[in-house]
Amino acid sequence: QEQLVESGGGLVQPGGSLTLSCAASGFLFSRSAMSWYRQAPGKERELIARIAVERITGNHRTPTYADSVKGRFTIFRDDDKDTVSLQMTSLKPEDTAVYYCHAEEPNGRFGNLEYWGAGIQVTVSS
């Protein structure tokens, strides 16, 4: 069974730091693009960080970020442990959201299979 389990969320004050982790299992993690999304109350889910994987070579591409988090958040993955993390610094109240781990697993000519974590709350407040 494919699973993505987020951890590390919680309450942090503005300007603080927090690191989220996502443990993956049940699929070919090393060949899967991994992303972090977030969804704030009343807003659509947005992509904030992603590490793509070249389908043919399996090489990991340079991470990309949403403008709202660029320079403050860093995504990284550990293919030996099948985990992907999100380091967050200089946190702002507008970063408050449920954060989701996401995977895209290659599926031959059928494209990709997509998997979602259940989400974890991050609250930035004094």
Side-chain angles (χ1 to χ4, degrees), residues 3 7 18 25 31 50-51 55 66 70 73-75 81-82 85 87 89 108 113 120 123:
Q3 290 190 55
S7 62
L18 201 64
S25 61
R31 298 297 295 265
R50 184 170 185 263
I51 300 177
R55 195 175 189 91
K70 192 173 299 181
F73 291 11
T74 302
I75 184 174
K81 298 181 178 180
D82 288 359
S85 299
Q87 293 179 325
T89 63
L113 298 172
I120 191 165
T123 301

Side-chain angles (χ1 to χ4, degrees), residues 107-121:
N107 191 33
R109 68 180 189 272
F110 300 105
N112 295 330
L113 298 172
E114 297 189 38
Y115 313 117
W116 289 94
I120 191 165
Q121 179 70 42

Side-chain angles (χ1 to χ4, degrees), residues 38-100:
R38 69 183 182 187
Q39 187 167 22
K43 296 185 177 181
E44 295 184 355
R45 189 172 299 187
E46 64 172 335
L47 173 66
I48 57 172
R50 184 170 185 263
I51 300 177
V53 179
E54 296 181 2
R55 195 175 189 91
I56 302 300
T57 66
N59 292 335
H60 297 168
R61 294 172 179 168
T62 302
T64 58
Y65 301 92
D67 288 341
S68 58
V69 306
K70 192 173 299 181
R72 299 188 299 119
F73 291 11
T74 302
I75 184 174
F76 61 96
R77 63 192 297 163
D78 186 339
D79 288 342
D80 291 330
K81 298 181 178 180
D82 288 359
T83 60
V84 60
S85 299
L86 184 70
Q87 293 179 325
M88 304 181 292
T89 63
S90 301
L91 284 162
K92 307 173 182 179
E94 51 263 44
D95 294 319
T96 296
V98 176
Y99 284 70
Y100 297 89

Side-chain angles (χ1 to χ4, degrees), residues 13-24:
Q13 66 182 29
S17 300
L18 201 64
T19 298
L20 304 180
S21 295
C22 173

